Amino acid sequence: MNADQRDIRGVLEQVGAIVLGKERQIRLCLSCLLARGHLLLEDIPGVGKTTLAHALAKTLGLSFQRIQFTSDLLPADVLGVSIFERESGQFRFQRGPIFAQLVLADEINRAPPKAQSALLEAMEEQQITIDANTYELPDPFFVVATQNPQDQAGTFPLPDSQLDRFLMRVHLGFPAQEVERELLNGVDRRDLLQTLLPSMDASRLVGLQRSVQSIHVSPALLDYVQALVAYTRRPGGFKQGLSPRAAIGLLRAARAWTLLEGRDAVLPDDVRAVLDAVVEHRIGPREDGVRGSARLLEAVAIP
Amino acid sequence: MNPRQPFVNLERLSWTAGCLLLALLPHLKSLPAWIISTIALATGIRLALAWHGRSLPPAYLRLAVSATAIALLFIQFRTFNGIDAGTALLSLMAGLKFLEARSLRDIRIIILIVYFLSLTALLVGTSFGLLFYLLGVCWLTTAILLRLTLSQPAPGLRDSLLFSARLLLLALPLAAALWLFFPRFSGPLWRLPSADSAAQSGLGDRMSPGDLSELSLSDEVAFRVRFDGAAPPPSQRYWRGPVLEDFDGRSWKRSESAQIGAPAPQPLGPAYRYTLSLEPHHHPWLLALDWPAQWDAPRAYLTPERTLLQSEPVNQPLDFNAVSHTQIQDESELDARQRRRDTRLPQQRNPRTLALAQRLRAQSGGDAEFAQAALELFRRETFFYTLTPPRLALDSVDEFLFDTKRGFCEHYASAYAALMRAGGVPARVVTGYQGGTYNRFAGYWIVRQSDAHAWNEIWLQSRGWVRADPTAAIAPERIERGSEALYGMDSAAAGTWSPLLEEFGLRMDAMRQLWREAILRFDQGSQMSLLRSLHIPEPDAQKLALLLAAALACTSVWLSWQLQSGLRSRHTDPAAIAFARLRKKLQTKGIAERPSETALELAARVRLQRPDLAERVGELCRQYNELRYGRSGVAAHAIRQYADAVRRFKA
């Protein structure tokens, strides 16, 4: 446990030094990765989404690829393409940028649905199939996608079914005033990124993921998770109820958060900490305009 | 639906309008048509506006419509008081309120009026069907009210109905306590609908040929009787109603009593005790087994004709106990005036009857022989007893006796009395009911309008008034087997279904009677005897009120205990029970319970609000998390210790 905690603290400190004043968001992102979930960062451009993703990849010692999604992006630009080699007289598969442990899909909602779904299928299967050949993607495999808010011009919003594949959606938000001052005074964050050294390697990360699985969940806590899920499924109020996949994801994310908190059993507090990030993009704002997760936090009694 | 959409939308308005419609249904008959159409119009306009998303009519228009409607109402009723005007006003207000319904509050007001409207139906109707209907309305309305909530999501209809049913069930003990102990008054608190507004039914104070045969087609219940012990034999089951003594050649009429205070007759046979439940018929007389000796209807008195009469008409269901003797010895003398009245016949009418009477009179010796000879005549000649007698003109007795020879009981009674009077024997017509149907499922008799009957009484020297029933001479089965015997003859509709239908009808009737005996008959007297049976000395209204308060208090305690245990039963985990207790203790110290708060959040709040308790509460919260969410295998003694720690905790 102590080794886990030491490693986690190292990661949090190092990323926190790059992305200032966003400790809670960084913790959420890390729990998402520890829970083997893909992450969606949603915010306006320029608040540090890409920097955060980059910093995480470097700190965790993961191979990193960045795909800038544009409106003319083709699936082959993501997955790779078979090229005819004149020397050998054969087709050889040229791997695309998706073959990395951490893939940053930047501005995913600027690409048309065809390219989006190429990525999203890879996320679900952790393998890709091209010309009847199946290629395994590396392990661990994370996609950190960033997207601009839906109402910006020139976007293809992700359909609900694909949003569901992201374990969490995290908003960064503007920095606080004193943090912004520090940003303005300090070194360019991108330069800092260059100097970043990994604080652990991929195998250590897999070890942490295993620790997440061993976090204890009591029946009383399962009651709470079920009460939350059941509440969203009641008629009226929510656009749609939480799926079983979402419920499983919620529990996994809560376990990862518990590990970050340094405890060995999940408390309702851990569920509540990750609730907004896990459920908000699945249930959406309520018909009366209240945030769905806020309503859940307030309305569902702790059993 | 989006957040900008108004709360009062088509769906909510429709549900509310539905509730109002259900509450108005029992009033449809009594409300003026224009009020019903105004309500329908106002509601319809509001629904149409909501459908098209249009805004409400301007305020001055709404005000004008309301003012006009209320003025019209006042012009029609001349008052806002009373059941009719009050109900109309309530209904009108509910309908017009729709025109200005724009917020939750408006809809709630309409719902409130719906509850009141439902109640007002009970001021005029007392049937148990109505009560169950209104309970249903109440159930549905409560469910709709539950769904009218700003907090979202509004519960589904199914959940609301279930919860509403639970609320009604929980209210049941309260209702029972109020019903048993709320002080009752011996008279009605409000003026009941007057006789002129209600159609009179049943027997009248006038009998023309064809009246009773028409009545006999009605299946309506006239009254129900439960005998204390054995019932008299069919041939003795004459139910006495108005006595008719004025004859104009065609119709018989009730006349004003000539004589006050007839001497009590000597009872000959056994006394029959019974309870009679009279349906309202809007006439002043009560029905009683011939001849009534005692009765406990408070305002009733016995006329010299031995009819039970009261000063005001029977407009409400009336229950009374009575004692009757089927055989009496009447030794009263007939004074000259009464003899004159009871032998009077109209001049120059029914000449053939007069001739016949004189012939018979000459052949027989005394009055009794003459009466007997007349009955023999009916028996001998070919008279037919029929439900559909031919119509008769002015000299109805002549036509009947010599031409048509087909008649119902009123024809026979009329002809017989005319014959007797023509022969100088004082005679009169008694109307009432004869027979009745025994309800074998509940042990009482049902007497329907179809059992209506007319018979005669003749006055014989030293025997007084003696019953003579010519119908018994012609159609003895009518008397022995009741009016049903006739329908058996007349209609061939007695199919295979009829026994089942009959049983169903009797069972339904038994239920109605049970309702009446067990619920409606519960009055001030019953309350006092209930108090006496509870060993409360000298019961009066004040003790009743005390008892009511006590019963209400008990019910409230029971209710809160129910709710409490409902809360408690949510937890089976002893740690959770202990923690709930801790929350309760903190609540008494101003730290409100929040069900959606975790232990750590609670501890943080205590740290802010009561820093002095923070340490102990923080420790208890931490321990709770460990016991409830920690790895399993927590020792029982740890939980016990925790419960003890909570018990010792003093905020």
Side-chain angles (χ1 to χ4, degrees), chain B residues 142-317:
Chain B
T142 310
I144 299 303
L145 186 63
L146 284 172
R147 302 193 67 209
L148 292 171
T149 162
L150 282 176
S151 70
Q152 295 291 326
L157 188 62
R158 216 181 95 93
D159 284 352
S160 306
L161 283 174
L162 284 176
F163 192 67
S164 166
R166 241 189 87 196
L167 283 180
L168 286 190
L169 281 181
L170 283 174
L172 204 61
L174 276 179
L178 284 169
W179 182 73
L180 282 175
F181 299 123
F182 193 85
R184 283 157 197 268
F185 304 93
S186 47
L189 284 179
W190 46 81
R191 214 173 70 84
L192 288 156
S194 54
D196 49 85
S197 71
Q200 301 187 336
S201 61
L203 301 170
D205 51 6
R206 185 182 184 87
M207 183 189 82
S208 309
D211 282 359
L212 287 192
S213 45
E214 214 166 88
L215 198 58
S216 69
L217 297 175
S218 161
D219 217 16
E220 213 174 296
V221 174
F223 55 90
R224 298 180 178 84
V225 184
R226 190 185 286 281
F227 281 100
D228 244 12
S235 60
Q236 301 290 321
R237 254 188 336 260
Y238 283 84
W239 305 97
R240 194 180 187 88
V243 176
L244 313 178
E245 286 169 305
D246 283 357
F247 185 49
D248 66 0
R250 184 167 189 274
S251 304
W252 289 82
K253 244 172 44 195
R254 202 157 69 92
S255 64
E256 291 308 311
S257 296
Q259 191 184 345
I260 301 298
Q266 292 297 311
L268 286 182
Y272 292 98
R273 285 169 192 282
Y274 55 91
T275 308
L276 197 143
S277 310
L278 189 58
E279 295 295 327
H281 55 64
H282 310 291
H283 290 292
W285 54 79
L286 315 184
L287 280 301
L289 186 66
D290 223 1
W291 289 262
Q294 291 166 35
W295 58 97
D296 66 356
R299 285 181 292 275
Y301 59 93
L302 196 63
T303 65
E305 294 82 34
R306 305 198 191 287
T307 302
L308 275 181
L309 209 61
Q310 61 176 28
S311 45
E312 68 265 39
V314 179
N315 291 335
Q316 285 267 298

Side-chain angles (χ1 to χ4, degrees), chain A residues 214-218 220-221 223 231 234-237 263-269 272 286-289 295 297-303, chain B residues 1-4 150-156 159 570-571 573 576 583 594-601 624-626 628-632:
Chain A
S214 65
I215 297 283
H216 175 67
V217 170
S218 65
L221 189 99
D223 286 347
Y231 190 87
R234 281 163 46 163
R263 280 187 267 101
D264 64 346
V266 185
L267 295 183
D269 303 84
R272 292 162 75 84
R286 288 164 46 80
E287 287 167 359
D288 49 9
R295 173 74 190 175
L297 286 178
E298 162 203 326
V300 180
I302 313 268
Chain B
M1 192 175 117
N2 67 52
R4 276 181 299 275
L150 282 176
S151 70
Q152 295 291 326
D159 284 352
R570 258 182 34 211
H571 293 303
D573 184 346
R583 284 184 166 178
R594 293 184 194 160
S596 67
E597 192 176 50
T598 68
L600 293 181
E601 286 164 353
Y624 169 67
N625 274 340
E626 213 159 277
R628 186 144 169 85
Y629 299 107
R631 293 193 178 274
S632 49

Side-chain angles (χ1 to χ4, degrees), chain B residues 303-447:
Chain B
T303 65
E305 294 82 34
R306 305 198 191 287
T307 302
L308 275 181
L309 209 61
Q310 61 176 28
S311 45
E312 68 265 39
V314 179
N315 291 335
Q316 285 267 298
L318 177 72
D319 293 279
F320 62 95
N321 300 306
V323 180
S324 292
H325 301 278
T326 51
Q327 283 160 4
I328 51 167
Q329 171 77 45
D330 188 357
E331 284 164 349
S332 59
E333 280 298 315
L334 204 61
D335 65 26
R337 213 162 64 103
Q338 206 181 346
R339 175 177 281 274
R340 223 172 19 253
R341 191 184 63 185
D342 287 330
T343 52
R344 188 188 299 141
L345 281 174
Q347 301 289 313
Q348 286 132 25
R349 295 280 288 277
N350 300 314
R352 286 185 278 175
T353 309
L354 285 175
L356 173 65
Q358 265 138 32
R359 205 169 62 243
L360 281 176
R361 180 83 232 196
Q363 287 166 8
S364 47
D367 285 357
E369 289 80 45
F370 171 55
Q372 199 52 43
L375 278 183
E376 280 302 322
L377 176 83
F378 278 118
R379 200 169 290 146
R380 210 174 48 236
E381 298 271 327
T382 47
F383 284 103
F384 291 100
Y385 191 65
T386 171
L387 269 175
T388 49
R391 294 188 59 80
L392 300 177
L394 270 181
D395 288 342
S396 63
V397 177
D398 267 10
E399 282 177 57
F400 167 66
L401 278 181
F402 299 99
D403 303 336
T404 64
K405 299 196 170 187
R406 306 166 74 83
F408 199 58
C409 51
E410 74 264 33
H411 299 84
Y412 296 103
S414 175
Y416 188 71
L419 266 178
M420 286 298 107
R421 286 188 175 191
V425 178
R428 59 192 186 187
V429 173
V430 185
T431 55
Y433 299 86
Q434 203 281 327
T437 316
Y438 185 63
N439 190 331
R440 59 186 183 276
F441 302 108
Y444 63 89
W445 293 82
I446 308 167
V447 179

